[in-house]
Amino acid sequence: MGGIGATGIILLVLVALLLFGPNKLPELGRAFGRTLREFKAGAKDLMDDNDQKAKDNNQRVDVSPSNNESNNKRLPD
């Protein structure tokens, strides 16, 4: 049960050509391409923001010596 084959794509192109006509089809393709490009840029921005927040949270680690020294005492051998 795979996706759309070559015959499915040809059928979709023919249906689009019949619905919108040869003059409107290139304009619709450009609009679809612009929309897809903007969506990808927005998704990339969201991913970059999440990565930056995670990176900022990892850099803000409290390393105070007073808390660490009291917890790191060894028992005698």
Side-chain angles (χ1 to χ4, degrees):
M1 301 279 149
I4 299 176
T7 55
I9 292 174
I10 292 171
L11 184 62
L12 286 174
V13 169
L14 287 175
V15 169
L17 189 60
L18 288 173
L19 287 176
F20 300 111
N23 295 335
K24 192 79 168 171
L25 207 53
E27 183 181 326
L28 290 173
R30 277 191 291 278
F32 179 73
R34 274 188 236 117
T35 303
L36 189 60
R37 194 176 318 122
E38 289 177 12
F39 176 77
K40 286 172 66 176
K44 184 177 183 287
D45 286 344
L46 284 175
M47 297 296 275
D48 289 344
D49 287 346
N50 287 341
D51 290 343
Q52 185 64 34
K53 286 179 184 176
K55 189 176 180 181
D56 289 345
N57 286 339
N58 288 339
Q59 289 177 355
R60 295 182 195 155
V61 175
D62 184 24
V63 195
S64 57
S66 61
N67 291 340
N68 289 337
E69 288 176 6
S70 63
N71 294 332
N72 289 335
K73 293 185 180 179
R74 291 185 57 189
L75 295 174
D77 291 323

